[in-house]
Amino acid sequence: MSELIVRTRDNKPNIIGITEVKPKANRYKPSTAEYSIPEVGNYKMFEKNIKSDEGRGLLMYVDSNLEATEITMKTEFQENLFIKVKLNQNDKLLVGLIYRTPSNSSKEYNDKLVDLMSEATDMGYSHILIMGDFNYPEINWESWNTKGDRPNSTENKFLEALQDNFLYQHTTKPTRWRGADTPHTLDLLITNEEEMISNLEYMSPLGKSDHCVLSFDFNCYVNIKRAPKIANLYNHGNYKEFIQELNKIDWHNKLNAENSIDKNWNYFLTILKELESRFVPTKTMTQIGKKRNVFPIDKKTREAEYNKVRNQAKTSVNKQKKLFEKGLSENAKRNPKAIWSYIKSKSKTREGIGDLHVDTEDVKSEKTDDNKQKAEILSEYFTSVFTNEPQGNIPEPKHIPLDKKIEELNIGTELVLKHLQKIKTDKSPGPDNLHPRLLFEVKEGIAEPLGIIFSQSLTQKVVPKDWKSALVSAIFKKGNKSQAKNYRPVSLTSVVCKIMEKIIREHIINYMKENKLFSNKQYGFISGRSTSLQLLEVIDKWTEAIDNETSSFLKLISSTENRHSTRVNSNKIIHQRFKTSLRKNSFSVRIAKLWNKLPDKVTKAPSINSFKNRLDRYWEYEEIYYSDYRAELTGSSIRNNGDNIQLYESGEEEP
């Protein structure tokens, strides 16, 4: 996979097809996540026979910008993988990946391959591309015939199937070498039009494979979901002059209270966007152009120079990968998002939304592949599951007499600046496209105008319309991907609106804390009182109740544990004799026998106090051997002195 990543990183292909993924001696079975290539780009990964023991396995990577979905063919040929890609207007592309094993020469097996080619043609796609390892060494593709006069051979039947379905095969040079064997053309590219393939190159193999890599251009107009991306380089912004320009503006006059909140917000947004275009550089994200093949197909080059460069590239890639993963682990606490993002990229690949059923509840209903209609289906479903608040007056809470009323919230420059300093710069912007990194860098210049807008919003009891909008993405949960009910919405709202929400929330929380309006049972959403703390306190109370037997429910739990109280200690200490370092190891030697005789109920006590109480009850009327002394412990011979339990030998008086 490392070599594949290196060779495809610069010239990112839209579609990558790989056959014979699994080795013949399939002792080690890699997981599907190990075949992901996030280092190259965002790809959807489709696979066949990777998780099962059948076949050699097929992999197809499709650029996530292409609207690709997997389809199932009716012909039950063992190793085939087909996807459809939406093109311009009503055109669609059918891409197939096939592996035909040479070890199966049965008539039924080869007839299924012929039927599969016919089925692909009859599906009515405007563009067809079928590629793979077909293992027909006897076919001469320059003359489209086979050796000898065998009209009923599998090779002739395959040629006839291509001709009957008006398909074209574009590979004419040998694609496989091994030692002194005769080179053969085994890897084929089949289309339904002659001019669909251009710039075909026969490149050197991947890894230890003896099949060459075929690189080509498929001539069609692809419907890319988004325009070329223009990225803002926030790391190179001139924020010093940015802030100077902001400070020149008389915000109190420009953001007049007589204006509507939307007018003031739009003015602020326009100024910020204009200055961003001036002081923050941009870069158009384009793919790197195609490079000339450095290693043409040549036996000597492949075995000598190419292998040397390949090994150097592998070593370099593995070294950089280890350094990258080490950096992620070292910064895990400071930047947990990065390491979880990396883990996610290795566990599973990103997938788009395929065809959806028009009826969200009926899996037999008609499907649609239209993006607008899919968005409407998802929007309708998400709206239906929202909680509808009942009409009428809002119920009033129980009246609590308070000496102090909540003070009016005054949002000033310092308060806004305080929250801008805490903003997380790695988050995504909302519909207003104000990136958190930009807001953080120019916080000294925007604190004043934001304070004015926030105060006006509180006074007029209205928020700008932009703050009511959100970018909603549908995230797949589980189940059938063609049903809208198996997706959940994730919204991106305005970052500026979130800052105002935090200011208001902080003001209300402080008032409730000062007046002790929070119940002692309230955990979560309050600083210093997490749900983890609640769990610890509950366990402590349960343990105390079990030891004191103050609850009938906990008595039942305790009695159940007592049935197994005599079970041998599973956490034993190894009893060893030491000839050296006697003082250092004396405790282990002298206490091992005592500890190993204790039952699990004592040694697995959840707390120190519980351990002491259980130890007292167990040792009551028990005989204990301690070194060369023997003591019969009774209730009177145990004295609990604070945190210490003192034991006395038989016949010795207590002090």
Side-chain angles (χ1 to χ4, degrees):
M1 296 303 295
S2 300
E3 185 177 349
L4 174 64
I5 292 171
V6 172
R7 295 179 65 169
T8 57
R9 181 182 292 149
D10 293 337
N11 183 20
K12 297 180 181 179
N14 297 107
I15 299 176
I16 304 172
I18 305 176
T19 61
E20 297 183 275
V21 178
K22 298 184 295 186
K24 291 182 179 179
N26 194 16
R27 298 178 181 177
Y28 171 67
K29 296 181 180 180
S31 63
T32 307
E34 293 183 51
Y35 291 109
S36 62
I37 50 174
E39 296 87 347
V40 177
N42 291 332
Y43 281 90
K44 300 177 187 176
M45 186 176 71
F46 303 91
E47 55 88 18
K48 186 67 174 292
N49 293 338
I50 296 297
K51 301 177 182 178
S52 65
D53 295 331
E54 298 180 356
R56 298 293 301 278
L58 302 174
L59 278 178
M60 191 182 301
Y61 302 93
V62 182
D63 191 341
S64 59
N65 292 328
L66 300 176
E67 299 181 28
T69 54
E70 184 178 357
I71 61 175
T72 303
M73 307 297 284
K74 296 180 181 179
T75 305
E76 297 179 355
F77 187 75
Q78 184 180 18
E79 296 213 66
N80 73 90
L81 178 62
F82 281 83
I83 65 168
K84 66 175 180 179
V85 180
K86 186 177 180 180
L87 305 178
N88 284 336
Q89 298 179 357
N90 295 325
D91 293 342
K92 294 180 182 179
L93 166 64
L94 178 67
V95 182
L97 185 63
I98 293 176
Y99 173 71
R100 173 187 173 272
T101 175
S103 59
N104 191 344
S105 58
S106 65
K107 181 178 181 299
E108 180 182 2
Y109 178 77
N110 289 280
D111 288 344
K112 285 184 177 180
L113 177 58
V114 171
D115 295 338
L116 182 64
M117 304 300 292
S118 300
E119 180 185 355
T121 308
D122 295 338
M123 295 179 73
Y125 284 86
S126 59
H127 299 69
I128 297 176
L129 169 63
I130 301 176
M131 53 188 177
D133 184 2
F134 288 79
N135 283 303
Y136 285 118
E138 301 297 326
I139 297 180
N140 183 350
W141 289 104
E142 291 184 351
S143 59
W144 277 64
N145 58 27
T146 60
K147 296 180 180 180
D149 186 15
R150 295 182 300 166
N152 294 325
S153 65
T154 56
E155 289 83 359
N156 269 325
K157 288 186 176 181
F158 182 74
L159 284 175
E160 290 176 1
L162 296 184
Q163 292 172 347
D164 292 341
N165 292 289
F166 302 98
L167 297 175
Y168 297 85
Q169 202 289 116
H170 300 267
T171 309
T172 56
K173 297 180 181 180
T175 61
R176 187 257 188 186
W177 297 264
R178 175 178 288 179
D181 294 349
T182 303
H184 294 291
T185 304
L186 304 182
D187 305 280
L188 309 180
L189 298 174
I190 301 171
T191 63
N192 60 332
E193 291 183 13
E194 189 174 5
E195 302 298 328
M196 283 186 172
I197 299 294
S198 61
N199 299 325
L200 176 59
E201 293 186 20
Y202 300 80
M203 306 176 70
S204 52
L206 278 176
K208 298 180 180 180
S209 173
D210 51 10
H211 289 253
C212 72
V213 175
L214 298 178
S215 174
F216 58 92
D217 292 334
F218 187 81
N219 301 320
C220 66
Y221 295 97
V222 182
N223 184 19
I224 302 297
K225 290 187 289 187
R226 63 174 183 267
K229 184 178 180 181
I230 299 177
N232 292 319
L233 305 180
Y234 292 107
N235 289 334
H236 304 283
N238 186 0
Y239 299 112
K240 184 177 181 180
E241 295 186 10
F242 198 126
I243 296 174
Q244 290 176 356
E245 292 293 327
L246 288 172
N247 292 333
K248 293 178 182 179
I249 302 175
D250 187 359
W251 292 108
H252 286 281
N253 290 331
K254 296 295 183 180
L255 304 179
N256 197 314
E258 296 179 357
N259 299 332
S260 65
I261 187 69
D262 286 304
K263 184 176 181 179
N264 286 341
W265 166 252
N266 290 331
Y267 176 80
F268 169 77
L269 189 62
T270 303
I271 293 296
L272 212 60
K273 286 295 180 182
E274 181 183 347
L275 295 177
E276 181 184 12
S277 63
R278 288 171 53 188
F279 298 108
V280 178
T282 60
K283 179 182 179 181
T284 303
M285 307 300 290
T286 57
Q287 294 182 350
I288 299 176
K290 194 172 185 179
K291 296 183 178 180
R292 182 177 61 87
N293 182 20
V294 181
F295 295 96
I297 293 299
D298 180 75
K299 183 177 179 181
K300 294 182 179 180
T301 301
R302 184 166 59 88
E303 292 182 350
E305 185 181 358
Y306 170 75
N307 288 344
K308 179 180 178 181
V309 176
R310 182 194 65 191
N311 294 337
Q312 291 175 351
K314 280 186 176 181
T315 303
S316 179
V317 168
N318 292 334
K319 182 178 179 180
Q320 294 300 322
K321 183 179 179 181
K322 289 180 180 179
L323 291 175
F324 175 73
E325 292 177 347
K326 182 180 179 182
L328 287 177
S329 60
E330 291 176 349
N331 299 322
K333 289 187 177 180
R334 293 191 297 270
N335 188 12
K337 184 177 179 180
I339 191 169
W340 284 113
S341 177
Y342 181 72
I343 293 173
K344 183 179 179 181
S345 68
K346 291 295 182 182
S347 60
K348 63 179 181 180
T349 56
R350 297 183 180 180
E351 296 184 3
I353 300 175
D355 296 352
L356 293 179
H357 288 287
V358 177
D359 189 345
T360 57
E361 298 295 335
D362 186 8
V363 294
K364 296 182 179 180
S365 63
E366 183 182 355
K367 290 184 179 181
T368 178
D369 58 359
D370 182 67
N371 285 335
K372 184 178 180 181
Q373 192 172 0
K374 287 192 288 186
E376 292 175 352
I377 293 172
L378 290 169
S379 176
E380 182 180 351
Y381 172 72
F382 293 154
T383 304
S384 66
V385 297
F386 285 159
T387 302
N388 294 322
E389 298 293 342
Q391 300 295 328
N393 297 328
I394 300 176
E396 295 184 0
K398 183 180 178 181
H399 177 69
I400 301 176
L402 297 173
D403 298 333
K404 185 179 179 181
K405 294 184 178 181
I406 188 170
E407 297 179 356
E408 184 178 353
L409 176 58
N410 296 319
I411 304 178
T413 303
E414 294 182 359
L415 183 59
V416 176
L417 185 60
K418 172 187 172 183
H419 284 268
L420 285 173
Q421 290 173 344
K422 299 178 181 179
I423 196 170
K424 296 181 179 179
T425 58
D426 58 345
K427 298 296 183 180
S428 300
D432 52 19
N433 205 26
L434 287 180
H435 201 281
R437 175 67 184 276
L438 177 66
L439 299 177
F440 176 80
E441 295 292 348
V442 298
K443 53 184 178 292
E444 292 85 358
I446 64 174
E448 181 183 358
L450 285 181
I452 296 173
I453 294 174
F454 291 164
S455 298
Q456 183 184 7
S457 178
L458 285 177
T459 303
Q460 298 181 0
K461 300 179 181 180
V462 64
V463 296
K465 293 181 180 179
D466 289 351
W467 295 4
K468 300 178 182 179
S469 301
L471 300 176
V472 181
S473 299
I475 307 299
F476 175 70
K477 297 183 294 184
K478 61 179 180 179
N480 190 348
K481 292 186 177 181
S482 60
Q483 288 186 282
K485 67 178 183 179
N486 294 325
Y487 293 83
R488 63 179 177 88
V490 174
S491 303
L492 289 176
T493 56
S494 173
V495 179
V496 176
C497 180
K498 292 178 182 178
I499 294 174
M500 182 177 174
E501 291 174 355
K502 289 180 180 179
I503 293 174
I504 297 174
R505 177 185 179 276
E506 184 182 75
H507 183 68
I508 297 174
I509 292 293
N510 290 337
Y511 172 77
M512 297 185 70
K513 284 184 176 180
E514 291 175 1
N515 292 274
K516 299 181 180 180
L517 296 178
F518 286 114
S519 169
N520 292 331
K521 299 178 181 179
Q522 170 69 38
Y523 290 87
F525 305 102
I526 301 177
S527 59
R529 292 180 64 83
S530 64
T531 53
S532 300
L533 179 62
Q534 181 186 31
L535 181 61
L536 292 174
E537 290 191 6
V538 168
I539 292 176
D540 189 54
K541 289 182 179 180
W542 286 353
T543 304
E544 183 181 355
I546 291 175
D547 293 336
N548 299 330
E549 298 182 354
T550 58
S551 171
S552 59
F553 171 71
L554 295 175
K555 282 181 182 179
L556 177 61
I557 299 177
S558 180
S559 63
T560 305
E561 288 185 355
N562 287 333
R563 297 176 187 175
H564 309 283
S565 61
T566 58
R567 190 161 63 91
V568 179
N569 180 7
S570 59
N571 299 322
K572 291 186 176 181
I573 301 175
I574 299 177
H575 182 73
Q576 297 178 343
R577 294 188 178 274
F578 300 90
K579 295 182 179 180
T580 59
S581 303
L582 295 178
R583 179 174 297 180
K584 177 181 178 181
N585 299 305
S586 61
F587 177 80
S588 299
V589 174
R590 297 166 68 88
I591 207 67
K593 288 184 178 180
L594 293 175
W595 175 266
N596 293 342
K597 288 184 178 181
L598 296 177
D600 267 351
K601 183 182 178 182
V602 176
T603 60
K604 292 185 177 181
S607 64
I608 295 296
N609 290 331
S610 177
F611 173 75
K612 292 177 181 179
N613 294 332
R614 294 182 184 186
L615 186 64
D616 288 348
R617 288 203 298 267
Y618 175 73
W619 271 352
E620 191 173 4
Y621 304 109
E622 289 285 339
E623 289 187 352
I624 179 171
Y625 292 87
Y626 184 75
S627 186
D628 296 331
Y629 299 94
R630 176 180 175 181
E632 183 176 344
L633 303 181
T634 63
S636 60
S637 61
I638 300 177
R639 179 180 176 185
N640 191 339
N641 183 15
D643 293 335
N644 299 319
I645 297 178
Q646 300 177 355
L647 306 180
Y648 303 97
E649 298 177 6
S650 178
E652 183 180 352
E653 294 183 359
E654 298 182 13

